[in-house]
Amino acid sequence: MIRRTLVALLALVATPALAESPASWSQPVAPFHIVGPIWYVGTRGLAVYAIKTDAGAILVSGPLAQSAPLVERNLKSIGIAPAQLKLMLNSHAHFDHAAAFAALRHDTGARLVASAADAPALRRGRHEADNENGHTRFPAVPVDRIVRDGETIRLGGVGITATLTPGHTPGCTTWSMPVADRGRTLRVVFPCSITVAGNVLRGNRAYPGIVADYRRSFARMAAMPADIVLPMHPEIADVLGRAARARAGAGTAAFVDPALLRRIVAEARDDFDKSVHAEGFSARNRLVRRNNPSQHGANGT
């Protein structure tokens, strides 16, 4: 299931026509409760999570720009008025996870929190690293607060901690928090994306350390304790399917899967290694063709 989902996502982001985003990315779904103060308020294909506190709400991620009104309606439906949204946490600065921030910030007054390495992309409104799709754009947005690795952002009685897991973007940020549930503490992780997503891995001029960053992030994320995994693309963890099972009677247990994050990382790492190998193979073939033009013609390639 995880591998099929990762392959599908890789295919989506590797296409040049990024403007033709999948219908599910803007398809409404009714918001639903996950665990403790955490609610799902995104679309069918792009996750957005709201965290309620006694001092207002925190939003994790922002979907497509046109989905900002949908997110606001979902927030209202779970009792969060626009003025009650206080903080928005960036996962990573890509158009499908950050494009709504500008409108949401304007409409609610919420402050945007992001890592230093992703802040320039958010402020410019464009993907920064060399990518097969070019520098895809989204509405630029000010960053109100820079978060450091290991720093805990607090609002009301809730604390959520940033772990920098770069690679997918230079400032990709994984968020995590403890949640009390029926006398136990569950560790909830909102992992930043770790797919290749069209990134150039060998010779990335705008992001020369991309390969090393991916590898460090795989190791770091795999070591994180995670009872509940809530990714930015919900299908990676079957978030909507788990919600259906929770409504059918399983309750919070439907979301609990302590081995899930390690499985996601293992399969993403495997796909990454294949991509690095494929880029190296292609580079060698190009070099052979340049150095042996007669062989190039003979092979008909």
Side-chain angles (χ1 to χ4, degrees):
M1 171 65 180
I2 296 172
R3 179 166 300 284
R4 290 198 302 271
T5 301
L6 288 172
V7 169
L9 287 173
L10 285 168
L12 283 173
V13 295
T15 58
L18 281 172
E20 301 174 5
S21 56
S24 67
W25 286 9
S26 54
Q27 184 179 352
V29 293
F32 55 85
H33 181 242
I34 297 174
V35 63
I38 304 172
W39 291 73
Y40 189 97
V41 294
T43 66
R44 182 167 296 279
L46 293 176
V48 183
Y49 303 99
I51 304 167
K52 290 184 175 184
T53 84
D54 56 13
I58 302 169
L59 202 68
V60 181
S61 194
L64 301 176
Q66 62 264 34
S67 296
L70 181 152
V71 172
E72 292 178 26
R73 289 195 299 271
N74 283 349
L75 289 171
K76 287 180 182 178
S77 74
I78 64 170
I80 301 172
Q84 291 177 301
L85 184 61
K86 301 300 183 183
L87 296 173
M88 300 185 298
L89 308 183
N90 176 61
S91 164
H92 58 284
H94 279 170
F95 82 104
D96 49 339
H97 304 288
F101 281 143
L104 290 169
R105 185 178 181 275
H106 174 271
D107 294 346
T108 68
R111 300 172 67 219
L112 178 60
V113 181
S115 66
D118 260 13
L122 293 165
R123 290 169 177 149
R124 294 171 186 154
R126 52 173 274 172
H127 174 71
E128 295 289 271
D130 294 341
N131 189 283
E132 293 174 7
N133 306 304
H135 297 292
T136 53
R137 296 187 176 274
F138 52 87
V141 59
V143 176
D144 301 289
R145 177 173 173 178
I146 297 296
V147 67
R148 300 183 303 276
D149 186 35
E151 183 178 358
T152 298
I153 302 297
R154 299 189 183 278
L155 184 69
V158 169
I160 182 167
T161 301
T163 299
L164 299 188
T165 50
H168 193 78
T169 66
C172 218
T173 305
T174 291
W175 298 92
S176 60
M177 61 183 288
V179 172
D181 178 68
R182 293 176 296 181
R184 58 180 175 169
T185 298
L186 297 174
R187 191 70 181 178
V188 179
V189 175
F190 306 87
C192 194
S193 294
I194 48 175
T195 58
V196 173
N199 277 324
V200 175
L201 300 175
R202 292 176 179 265
N204 193 312
R205 293 166 297 178
Y207 188 0
I210 189 170
V211 169
D213 275 358
Y214 263 113
R215 287 180 172 150
R216 280 192 294 267
S217 294
F218 290 140
R220 195 169 200 197
M221 196 180 290
M224 293 181 73
D227 298 300
I228 295 177
V229 180
L230 301 176
M232 302 306 109
H233 285 278
E235 61 268 34
I236 289 177
D238 191 26
V239 176
L240 272 63
R242 291 174 187 272
R245 295 193 289 277
R247 289 191 297 270
T252 302
F255 293 100
V256 176
D257 188 344
L260 177 58
L261 185 57
R262 290 192 297 276
R263 295 199 303 271
I264 291 171
V265 173
E267 295 190 8
R269 182 191 279 123
D270 184 54
D271 289 333
F272 169 84
D273 288 340
K274 289 175 181 176
S275 295
V276 172
H277 176 76
E279 282 194 23
F281 182 77
S282 297
R284 287 193 295 273
N285 279 351
R286 288 194 297 272
L287 182 62
V288 167
R289 287 196 294 269
R290 282 199 302 269
N291 294 336
N292 300 279
S294 59
Q295 182 182 26
H296 170 76
N299 289 339
T301 59

